[in-house]
Amino acid sequence: MGQSYNDEDLMRDGAGIYIHIPFCKQACHYCDFHFSTSMKKREAIVAALLKEIQLRKDELGNKEIATIYFGGGTPSVLSDDEIKSIIDAVYTNFTVIANPEITLEANPDDLSAQRIKQLALLPINRLSIGIQSFFEEDLKLMNRAHNTDQAEACLKEATKYFDNISIDLIYGVPGMSNERWQQNIEKALSFNVPHISSYALTVEPKTALHTFVKKGIISQPSDEVAQQHFQILVDKLKENNFIHYELSNFGKEGYFSKNNTAYWLGKKYFGIGPSAHSYDGVSRSWNVSNNTLYLKAIESNKLPLESEELTIGDRYNEYIMTGLRTIWGVSLEKIQQDFGKGYFDYLLKESETFIEKELLEIENGNLKVTSKGKFLADGIASDLFFINLED
């Protein structure tokens, strides 16, 4: 069970571990994450993940681990023993809080009734299921590995064994009417899941979707349609007592993602596996996005990562971007304390126009997007960035 978004547990000073599993059964047309559809190196990668955890055991000092998150790729392609071995390695090498949030991203085609029962015996206490749509035509356009029957069957079964379930839905899909999008939401709600993450379909460079759009095989997703779908989603989930706590995330009280909330609140985390990112409050690092190079480095007891020191301007801009996406907003007190009067004055000045247009508001000392401004949050944030600073 999660905690209220006002509870201290959600805000406690723990760190998170993200574990990237770089394998998928097939490539979704819209995905630009690092993965391979060949499973040949799976055992070697799992062994390397265990070794990287051990190599980095001193990285967090005395900080406790509050969340463990299996992302990808498709973590559910791993066996139960492989998943357990990774969790055990975290416990062996770090101090973990009592009852940490342990999330496994999973696809419906991996979640048979028997597999769900087995997963429930592991320490995993949260499933994030990539449904994306309950309609066959949408799943085919996205090149998802599952079908609608599997989507519904896995949720029917998973809700028997897991209390904390999140599902992903994608809107703004070419050809998806407002009515079909509404039906998607209603179908999701029928399973009584306590958390929904929902994203607009975006055309990322070097993806199959980008190629299809360029060739005219698939229509360019419409911003206008996406905005309509977003508003339908916000209204419908609000009616059903979901809290819109981050731009793309909606949770019942007590079921916010602790892992992702830590990212948005600027807490420390580190990533294990190829392409995984880490953040310690002042610098960011990332592992090489290549399975072979990752394996060679780890075998040589080297960490295959690059890093960059974030300037005060970088950190300010990141805080604006993440803060405006959340229910908590941007603390004006934090801006003044952490970044100084120059940034504070700049933010107030640049916010004036958006406040006049009722896209931003100041509430209890926090700068927040209004209901009217939510869909535009990322664009508003970029307009508030401090550019060309001499840090």
Side-chain angles (χ1 to χ4, degrees):
M1 177 83 60
Q3 296 293 320
S4 163
Y5 63 92
N6 289 318
D7 279 354
E8 290 180 7
D9 185 62
L10 192 64
M11 307 296 184
R12 70 182 293 173
D13 190 30
I17 291 186
Y18 170 82
I19 297 153
H20 189 82
I21 308 301
F23 300 106
C24 290
K25 289 180 180 176
Q26 65 187 50
C28 297
H29 286 160
Y30 56 85
C31 182
D32 68 341
F33 294 139
H34 170 66
F35 67 92
S36 170
T37 53
S38 169
M39 302 287 171
K40 289 179 182 176
K41 295 178 180 175
R42 194 180 93 182
E43 287 186 18
I45 287 286
V46 171
L49 294 175
L50 300 179
K51 189 169 183 180
E52 186 186 357
I53 290 169
Q54 194 274 329
L55 288 172
R56 299 177 72 177
K57 65 181 181 180
D58 298 323
E59 198 164 306
L60 293 175
N62 295 322
K63 194 169 288 292
E64 294 178 313
I65 298 298
T67 64
I68 303 170
Y69 191 100
F70 287 83
T74 311
S76 54
V77 301
L78 296 188
S79 70
D80 297 340
D81 286 344
E82 287 170 330
I83 293 169
K84 187 175 186 301
S85 70
I86 295 169
I87 295 172
D88 287 347
V90 173
Y91 272 85
T92 298
N93 290 283
F94 296 94
T95 302
V96 182
I97 68 168
N99 303 314
E101 178 188 85
I102 305 179
T103 302
L104 179 80
E105 288 185 355
N107 279 349
D109 46 298
D110 294 322
L111 295 179
S112 65
Q114 182 59 34
R115 183 73 198 281
I116 291 167
K117 289 178 186 176
Q118 292 170 337
L119 288 174
L121 299 174
L122 296 177
I124 293 160
N125 50 31
R126 185 173 184 269
L127 286 182
S128 177
I129 305 176
I131 299 292
Q132 314 309 358
S133 176
F134 290 98
F135 288 89
E136 210 65 55
E137 53 265 53
D138 300 330
L139 297 175
K140 287 178 179 175
L141 182 147
M142 298 181 217
N143 200 39
R144 294 292 293 169
H146 69 278
N147 58 40
T148 54
D149 289 342
Q150 288 172 315
E152 294 189 32
C154 81
L155 283 174
K156 186 176 180 182
E157 199 66 25
T159 50
K160 295 178 185 176
Y161 294 91
F162 287 88
D163 170 59
N164 198 350
I165 295 175
S166 177
I167 67 171
D168 288 352
L169 293 175
I170 291 180
Y171 59 86
V173 178
M176 180 189 281
S177 65
N178 288 353
E179 182 183 11
R180 190 157 94 219
W181 174 234
Q182 180 123 351
Q183 289 172 349
N184 257 319
I185 301 167
E186 288 170 354
K187 176 64 75 172
L189 291 171
S190 72
F191 291 99
N192 293 314
V193 293
H195 191 281
I196 293 175
S197 296
S198 192
Y199 310 90
L201 182 67
T202 53
V203 182
E204 302 291 351
K206 299 180 182 178
T207 61
L209 181 60
H210 182 262
T211 302
F212 295 148
V213 168
K214 199 173 179 182
K215 291 182 176 179
I217 297 169
I218 294 175
S219 301
Q220 174 76 35
S222 161
D223 288 343
E224 185 181 347
V225 169
Q227 188 162 4
Q228 290 173 11
H229 288 181
F230 178 77
Q231 198 56 53
I232 290 169
L233 176 72
V234 169
D235 293 344
K236 190 69 178 174
L237 293 187
K238 185 177 181 181
E239 286 174 19
N240 286 272
N241 300 316
F242 280 80
I243 299 164
H244 190 187
Y245 72 104
E246 195 273 341
L247 188 61
S248 301
N249 288 271
F250 304 77
K252 295 284 183 74
E253 187 160 344
Y255 290 93
F256 294 4
S257 166
K258 293 181 186 178
N259 177 81
N260 293 346
T261 297
Y263 293 165
W264 302 320
L265 294 178
K267 295 184 181 180
K268 294 181 181 181
Y269 61 88
F270 76 107
I272 300 292
S275 82
H277 283 60
S278 304
Y279 174 68
D280 66 5
V282 293
S283 65
R284 190 175 304 287
S285 61
W286 56 95
N287 282 344
V288 63
S289 296
N290 181 295
N291 289 357
T292 301
L293 294 178
Y294 172 79
L295 286 171
K296 283 182 179 177
I298 296 296
E299 285 167 9
S300 303
N301 294 319
K302 296 177 183 176
L303 294 176
L305 54 78
E306 294 180 52
S307 63
E308 63 174 347
E309 194 86 9
L310 298 178
T311 66
I312 189 170
D314 292 334
R315 286 186 279 121
Y316 166 88
N317 289 344
E318 287 199 11
Y319 179 54
I320 295 297
M321 176 61 77
T322 55
L324 286 185
R325 289 180 63 98
T326 71
I327 197 172
W328 302 283
V330 170
S331 165
L332 297 179
E333 182 181 2
K334 179 179 172 67
I335 292 291
Q336 196 153 16
Q337 286 181 349
D338 292 4
F339 304 105
K341 189 174 185 301
Y343 285 88
F344 177 78
D345 292 343
Y346 176 85
L347 178 58
L348 290 184
K349 182 175 179 296
E350 295 301 310
S351 300
E352 285 176 2
T353 302
F354 295 107
I355 292 172
E356 287 170 9
K357 292 179 179 177
E358 297 181 342
L359 299 173
L360 289 177
E361 62 183 354
I362 295 175
E363 181 182 78
N364 298 325
N366 296 307
L367 183 68
K368 301 179 179 182
V369 291
T370 62
S371 297
K372 183 180 172 183
K374 275 184 180 175
F375 185 75
L376 306 170
D378 285 347
I380 294 170
S382 65
D383 285 340
L384 299 179
F385 284 175
F386 215 142
I387 310 296
N388 296 326
L389 285 179
E390 294 181 10
D391 293 305

